[in-house]
C-alpha cells in the first residue's frame, strides 16, 4: 500500500473536492491511499510551509510562497518532472495568470487546481427589495455604502490586498522600487478611498475575511452588496445556501475597470515526499479537464481550468458564477513572490485597519507599511 498525505484549508471549496477526487483516484489505482487534513484560511495564507513539509507530501499553496519555498528547499521543482505536453496543457488552459503565478525563476512551485480573485457579490433578492441599481463606478459604490447596504472584508490581509488593487489602479507603482514602497500621494489617496467606503460599515468588519462575508450575506439580510472579496462560487449555488449570491465583474475607477489581486491555489509537493511520481500523477489528475469539469466541480471545487468556466451546462448548478465573473478572474494581477513578501502582507494590513478605525493618520499608516516593506526585503 502506497500512502501520501496532503493538507488544504478548511472550507467546502477546498476540502471536499480533494477528498472526492482522491477517492476516485484510489478506486482507479488500487493499492493507493491519499489522506487530507485541513487548516484555517489564515494559516493557509500565512503559516510558513517549513512547518508542514515533514508531515505532508501534498501542500495546497498560494503563489506568493514561491521564493521562500525554493530558497529553503521545501518543495520540489515540478518543472523537472512535467513533459512538454503537460506543461503546455496547463499553460494554455488555466484561467488568466493562474499557471504563470506558480512559475518562478524557471521553476514550477505547484500544479494549479483552483482559480479565484476578489470580485463583487450581491443578494439578488435584497437588490430587488431595496430597489438598488448595481454600482458601476466608485462614486456609485460610495453612494450605496452611505445607505449601509455595502460590506467588505476588513481582515488585515484582505484589506491590504484590496488597497493594493487600488494602488495599481491609481498607478502608484507598488513594489517597483526597493527604496520606496509606492508613490506617497497616490498611496494615501488609495487609503482615503477605502476609508470613505468603510466608514458606514460596522467595526466588526475588521475581523471578517471573505468566508465570513459570504456566510453573513447568505444567512442574514443586513447587507446587499460586497464590492470585492475573494470569490467563493459555493455561495452562488442554490444547492449550497438558502439565499445564494450572484457574482460579477469589478467596477470602474477613473473610467477603467479595477484589476484585483489573484488568489487561487495549487498543489506543491514536499521536498520530503518519498512518492514523488505518485504525488505528481495525482496532482495532474486533479488538474485535468475531465476531473475539474466533473468530480472536482460538483464536489464544491472552484476549477482553475478555463474550459470549465465557459461550460454552458454548469450555469444553473453554479448560479452563473463562472461566466458572470470570468473577465475579472481573467485579468487578475499576480502578487510579488519574493522571500519575505508573505510576512509583509500579513503585517501591512494592521496599519490600514488602524487608519480606517481613526486611530492613526494616513501618513503614520504609510510609514509603518514602508518600514515593513524594507524589513521584508532583508530576507
Amino acid at each position: 500500500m502506497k500512502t501520501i498525505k496532503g493538507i488544504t484549508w478548511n472550507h467546502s471549496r477546498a476540502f471536499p473536492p480533494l477528498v472526492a477526487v482522491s477517492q476516485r483516484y484510489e478506486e482507479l489505482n488500487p493499492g493507493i491511499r491519499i489522506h487530507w487534513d485541513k487548516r484555517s484560511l489564515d494559516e493557509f495564507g500565512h503559516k510558513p510551509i517549513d512547518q508542514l513539509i515533514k508531515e505532508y507530501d501534498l501542500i495546497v499553496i498560494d503563489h506568493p510562497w514561491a521564493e521562500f519555498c525554493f530558497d529553503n528547499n521545501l518543495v520540489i521543482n515540478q518543472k523537472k518532472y512535467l513533459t512538454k505536453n503537460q506543461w503546455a496543457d496547463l499553460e494554455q488552459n488555466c484561467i488568466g495568470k493562474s499557471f504563470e503565478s506558480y512559475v518562478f525563476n524557471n521553476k514550477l512551485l505547484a500544479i494549479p487546481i483552483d482559480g479565484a480573485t476578489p470580485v463583487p457579490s450581491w443578494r439578488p433578492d435584497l437588490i430587488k427589495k431595496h430597489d438598488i441599481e448595481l454600482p458601476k463606478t466608485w462614486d456609485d459604490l460610495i453612494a450605496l455604502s452611505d445607505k449601509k447596504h455595502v460590506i467588505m472584508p476588513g481582515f488585515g490581509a484582505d484589506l491590504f490586498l484590496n488597497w493594493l488593487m487600488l494602488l495599481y489602479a491609481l498607478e502608484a507603482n507598488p513594489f517597483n522600487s526597493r527604496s520606496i514602497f509606492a508613490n506617497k500621494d497616490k498611496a494615501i489617496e488609495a487609503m482615503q478611498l477605502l476609508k470613505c467606503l468603510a466608514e458606514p460599515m460596522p467595526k466588526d468588519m475588521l475581523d471578517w475575511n471573505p468566508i465570513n462575508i459570504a456566510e453573513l450575506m447568505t444567512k442574514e439580510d443586513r447587507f446587499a452588496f460586497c464590492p470585492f472579496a475573494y470569490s467563493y462560487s459555493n455561495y452562488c449555488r442554490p444547492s449550497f445556501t438558502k439565499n445564494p449570491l450572484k457574482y460579477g465583474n469589478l467596477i470602474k475607477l477613473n473610467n477603467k475597470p479595477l484589476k484585483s489581486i489573484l488568489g487561487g491555489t495549487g498543489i506543491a509537493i514536499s521536498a520530503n515526499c518519498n512518492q514523488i511520481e505518485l504525488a505528481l500523477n495525482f496532482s495532474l489528475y486533479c488538474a485535468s479537464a475531465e476531473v475539474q469539469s466533473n468530480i472536482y466541480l460538483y464536489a464544491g471545487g472552484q476549477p482553475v481550468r478555463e474550459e470549465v468556466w465557459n461550460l454552458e451546462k454548469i450555469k444553473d448548478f453554479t448560479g452563473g458564477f463562472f461566466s458572470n465573473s470570468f473577465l475579472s478572474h481573467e485579468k487578475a494581477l499576480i502578487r510579488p513572490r519574493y522571500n519575505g513578501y508573505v510576512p509583509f502582507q500579513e503585517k501591512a494590513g494592521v496599519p490600514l485597519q488602524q487608519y480606517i478605525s481613526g486611530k492613526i493618520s494616513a501618513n503614520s499608516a504609510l510609514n509603518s507599511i514602508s518600514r515593513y516593506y524594507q524589513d521584508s526585503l532583508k530576507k
Side-chain angles (χ1 to χ4, degrees):
M1 182 70 67
K2 294 181 179 180
T3 300
I4 55 176
K5 288 182 64 177
I7 187 165
T8 183
W9 86 98
N10 184 19
H11 192 265
S12 296
R13 174 181 136 202
F15 187 72
L18 286 171
V19 172
V21 172
S22 298
Q23 177 64 36
R24 185 58 183 144
Y25 186 87
E26 291 175 2
E27 292 163 355
L28 294 171
N29 299 274
I32 302 296
R33 289 292 180 269
I34 303 173
H35 176 79
W36 285 97
D37 287 336
K38 53 192 175 181
R39 53 191 177 144
S40 73
L41 181 62
D42 185 47
E43 288 174 326
F44 160 76
H46 301 107
K47 186 176 181 179
I49 308 302
D50 54 1
Q51 300 176 29
L52 302 173
I53 62 163
K54 293 182 180 179
E55 189 174 352
Y56 297 99
D57 304 289
L58 306 173
I59 302 170
V60 175
I61 200 169
D62 202 358
H63 64 266
W65 284 109
E67 190 174 50
F68 174 84
C69 286
F70 288 130
D71 277 1
N72 292 284
N73 299 312
L74 301 178
V75 301
I76 68 166
N77 169 19
Q78 297 188 44
K79 184 175 182 180
K80 291 182 178 180
Y81 299 89
L82 295 185
T83 67
K84 289 183 179 180
N85 287 340
Q86 289 168 335
W87 181 280
D89 174 58
L90 294 169
E91 186 175 41
Q92 294 167 15
N93 294 305
C94 291
I95 187 166
K97 293 182 172 63
S98 294
F99 178 72
E100 180 186 340
S101 70
Y102 295 103
V103 180
F104 184 83
N105 287 348
N106 204 32
K107 298 177 181 179
L108 183 63
L109 173 68
I111 301 292
I113 58 169
D114 172 288
T117 200
V119 289
S121 59
W122 61 90
R123 278 272 300 273
D125 58 328
L126 296 181
I127 293 294
K128 182 177 180 180
K129 176 182 177 181
H130 297 298
D131 194 26
I132 295 171
E133 184 175 348
L134 292 175
K136 297 178 181 178
T137 68
W138 191 269
D139 288 342
D140 295 342
L141 176 61
I142 295 299
L144 187 59
S145 181
D146 286 343
K147 295 178 181 178
K148 299 187 181 299
H149 290 308
V150 177
I151 192 63
M152 69 175 180
F155 192 72
D158 294 285
L159 201 59
F160 171 74
L161 291 169
N162 288 329
W163 179 60
L164 191 58
M165 170 186 68
L166 296 177
L167 293 182
Y168 283 117
L170 295 173
E171 299 181 350
N173 300 319
F175 301 103
N176 275 19
S177 168
R178 293 183 65 87
S179 58
I180 300 173
F181 173 65
N183 175 277
K184 179 179 179 180
D185 292 341
K186 292 179 178 179
I188 289 177
E189 181 183 353
M191 283 188 201
Q192 291 169 338
L193 290 173
L194 276 181
K195 184 174 184 179
C196 186
L197 175 62
E199 280 177 337
M201 299 178 189
K203 302 306 179 186
D204 292 349
M205 56 84 73
L206 296 174
D207 298 320
W208 295 343
N209 65 27
I211 296 174
N212 300 137
I213 295 294
E215 291 287 354
L216 175 66
M217 290 181 69
T218 52
K219 290 177 180 176
E220 301 180 18
D221 296 342
R222 294 166 62 188
F223 304 103
F225 188 82
C226 173
F228 24 73
Y230 276 98
S231 53
Y232 279 78
S233 63
N234 314 74
Y235 297 97
C236 260
R237 305 183 185 197
S239 60
F240 186 78
T241 182
K242 180 181 178 182
N243 299 300
L245 304 175
K246 286 289 184 185
Y247 281 78
N249 292 309
L250 290 159
I251 64 170
K252 291 182 178 181
L253 176 64
N254 297 335
N255 295 318
K256 293 181 181 179
L258 291 169
K259 293 181 180 180
S260 53
I261 311 302
L262 184 67
T265 65
I267 301 179
I269 299 175
S270 166
N272 287 351
C273 179
N274 294 319
Q275 303 285 346
I276 291 177
E277 184 178 352
L278 170 58
L280 184 66
N281 188 268
F282 169 77
S283 299
L284 290 169
Y285 175 74
C286 188
S288 67
E290 177 65 22
V291 169
Q292 289 252 308
S293 61
N294 289 289
I295 301 173
Y296 188 84
L297 171 72
Y298 289 102
Q302 193 162 298
V304 75
R305 302 284 302 208
E306 189 168 308
E307 307 103 308
V308 184
W309 287 67
N310 294 314
L311 285 177
E312 187 69 29
K313 70 176 184 178
I314 70 171
K315 285 187 177 180
D316 289 342
F317 174 70
T318 61
F321 168 84
F322 293 97
S323 56
N324 291 346
S325 63
F326 175 83
L327 185 61
S328 289
H329 286 84
E330 182 78 1
K331 300 292 185 182
L333 304 169
I334 297 175
R335 270 172 281 175
R337 295 166 293 171
Y338 66 87
N339 187 356
Y341 168 76
V342 175
F344 168 62
Q345 173 183 290
E346 186 176 20
K347 293 178 182 178
V350 176
L352 292 173
Q353 290 177 317
Q354 293 171 332
Y355 167 67
I356 283 175
S357 302
K359 296 177 181 178
I360 62 174
S361 67
N363 275 318
S364 295
L366 185 58
N367 287 340
S368 294
I369 292 169
S370 298
R371 187 169 63 252
Y372 296 149
Y373 175 58
Q374 293 301 319
D375 291 342
S376 76
L377 296 176
K378 296 174 184 177
K379 297 193 179 289

